[in-house]
């Protein structure tokens, strides 16, 4: 095996027999976005070169990596300049693979006589499937805007209710419109008795399991439409506003039940964050807690066509109703590589222990090919713009409690990860989120559910946009299995 093949196998943590000609970025689980960064760093260390962003985009297949390494070896042998420029470029800069549709991976069976080549975009990477006026994300610049408003302005100055109105209705509310919207949210907080009882019976379950189940159950207690009729756009919007109000109550009531107490319902005039915390904690929350939770909800309110928002769009595009679409979004969001990462990131504080251990812990994870949770993002090539606001909340809470241990640990991990930032592995929204909730006295397993509460207006807005100008989302798969097999005689029936 060549030196570069050994490096690829070692870095990705895969056996040598998997180093086939069709091995490429996203073609296997191990060669994900973080694995790709690890591979680029390994190439830099092995060959003493700098892999810039353009080259990183090109080195997305095993063949391209081999050619790159061969080029470096060739330039070194003839005495000319070595490095990225000396090695030359490797061809395609896309994240796609051309496949013929023939059988691969050792699958037996006749291949088709002719199979037109198709371009496969694994994970739909780089595919723009529609226009949107909801959220702008510029991954290169680290920009995030909700309907034209910077996340920085909104996080510092807007309430969650204002941001929810902005996303759902398309514009910031004036005082009169905000009052109407706030009254709608307050009126919708009450949960149907059977759903509340369901939350009680699920006291043993993880908050995300209980939330997904109870939100699905809400669909049985909404307005009943005549058979064969679809939810109108106005009906979908009303259902979405109800879900924005009710999802926090489900999370909070479930937590009350699993804590062995009955929910304490909020004052009628309580704001969104205050109402949630009252039920969650069973007591009036502090102004600091309300402010931190409200800012967290604003920061999480939408993030473009991420996996859960895309799931909601697919569901609503099939003319499922809003409750079904958000149930699907919650199911997608619960996954460990999507929203579930928020719960895993807080474990860094416990695993590292002290700031002095940060570098060794990061090095140990990287040597095993494991990701450092709370770093890297599929979109951002620089610091996640949401992160600074959550860190600011952690700073405030840490100083208020006179304990900076967790903050210092995460800051030390961020410093240890700094060499990878130029490859796009910078702190993301998950790094400090869980610690802010822990400092409020909340259990770690609520981190993802709190993220959902904030994200609900964004899902509603994305689903409404899909509803208003719908097209059934139906991507294709490039078949790569056997064809033309003959059913064996005498087979069991």
């Amino acid at each position: 095996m060549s030196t570069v093949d050994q490096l690829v196998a070692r870095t990705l943590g895969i056996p040598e027999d998997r180093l086939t000609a069709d091995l490429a970025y996203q073609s296997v689980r191990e060669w994900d976005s973080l694995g790709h960064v690890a591979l680029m760093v390994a190439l830099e260390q092995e060959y003493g070169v700098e892999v810039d962003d353009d080259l990183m985009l090109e080195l997305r297949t095993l063949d391209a990596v081999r050619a790159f390494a061969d080029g470096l070896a060739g330039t070194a042998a003839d005495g000319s300049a070595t490095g990225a420029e000396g090695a030359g470029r490797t061809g395609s800069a896309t994240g796609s693979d051309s496949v013929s549709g023939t059988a691969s991976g050792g699958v037996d069976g006749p291949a088709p006589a002719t199979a037109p080549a198709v371009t496969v975009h694994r994970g739909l990477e780089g595919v723009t499937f529609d226009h949107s006026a909801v959220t702008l994300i510029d991954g290169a610049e680290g920009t995030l805007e909700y309907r034209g408003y910077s996340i920085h302005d909104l996080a510092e100055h807007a309430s969650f209710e204002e941001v929810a109105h902005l996303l759902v209705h398309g514009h910031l509310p004036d005082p009169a419109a905000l009052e109407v919207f706030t009254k709608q949210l307050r009126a919708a907080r009450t949960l149907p008795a059977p759903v509340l009882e369901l939350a009680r019976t699920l006291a043993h379950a993880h908050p995300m399991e209980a939330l997904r189940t109870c939100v699905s159950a809400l669909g049985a207690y909404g307005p009943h439409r005549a058979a064969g009729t679809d939810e109108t756009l106005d009906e979908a919007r009303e259902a979405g506003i109800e879900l924005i109000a009710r999802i926090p109550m489900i999370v909070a009531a479930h937590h009350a039940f699993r804590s062995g107490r009955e929910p304490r319902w909020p004052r009628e005039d309580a704001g969104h964050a205050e109402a949630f915390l009252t039920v969650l904690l069973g007591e009036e929350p502090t102004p600091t807690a309300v402010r931190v939770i409200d800012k967290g909800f604003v920061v999480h309110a939408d993030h473009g066509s991420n996996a859960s928002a895309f799931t909601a769009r697919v569901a609503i595009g099939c003319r499922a109703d809003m409750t079904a679409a958000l149930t699907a979004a919650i199911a997608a969001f619960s996954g460990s590589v999507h929203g579930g990462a928020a719960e895993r990131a807080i474990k860094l504080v416990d695993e590292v222990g002290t700031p002095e251990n940060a570098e060794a812990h990061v090095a140990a994870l990287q040597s095993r090919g494991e990701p450092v949770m709370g770093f890297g993002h599929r979109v951002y090539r620089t610091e996640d713009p949401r992160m600074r606001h959550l860190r600011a909340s952690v700073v405030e809470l840490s100083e208020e409690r006179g304990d900076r241990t967790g903050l210092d640990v995460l800051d030390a991990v961020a410093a240890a990860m700094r060499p990878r930032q130029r490859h796009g592995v910078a702190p993301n929204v998950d790094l400090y989120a869980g610690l802010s909730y822990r400092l409020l006295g909340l259990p770690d397993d609520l981190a993802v559910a709190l993220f959902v509460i904030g994200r609900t207006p964004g899902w509603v807005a994305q689903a409404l946009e899909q509803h208003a100008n719908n097209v059934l989302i139906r991507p294709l798969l490039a078949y790569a299995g056997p064809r033309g097999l003959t059913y064996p005689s005498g087979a069991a029936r």
Side-chain angles (χ1 to χ4, degrees), residues 107-110 479 482-488:
V107 178
D108 294 329
Y479 180 70
R483 292 180 59 184
L485 300 180
T486 302
Y487 187 78

Side-chain angles (χ1 to χ4, degrees), residues 34 80 84 88 230 332 441 453 487:
L34 293 178
S80 59
D230 293 330
I453 295 171
Y487 187 78

Side-chain angles (χ1 to χ4, degrees), residues 125-137:
E125 184 179 10
V127 175
T128 301
F129 71 93
D130 211 336
H131 295 88
S132 178
V134 178
T135 295
L136 167 69
I137 302 172

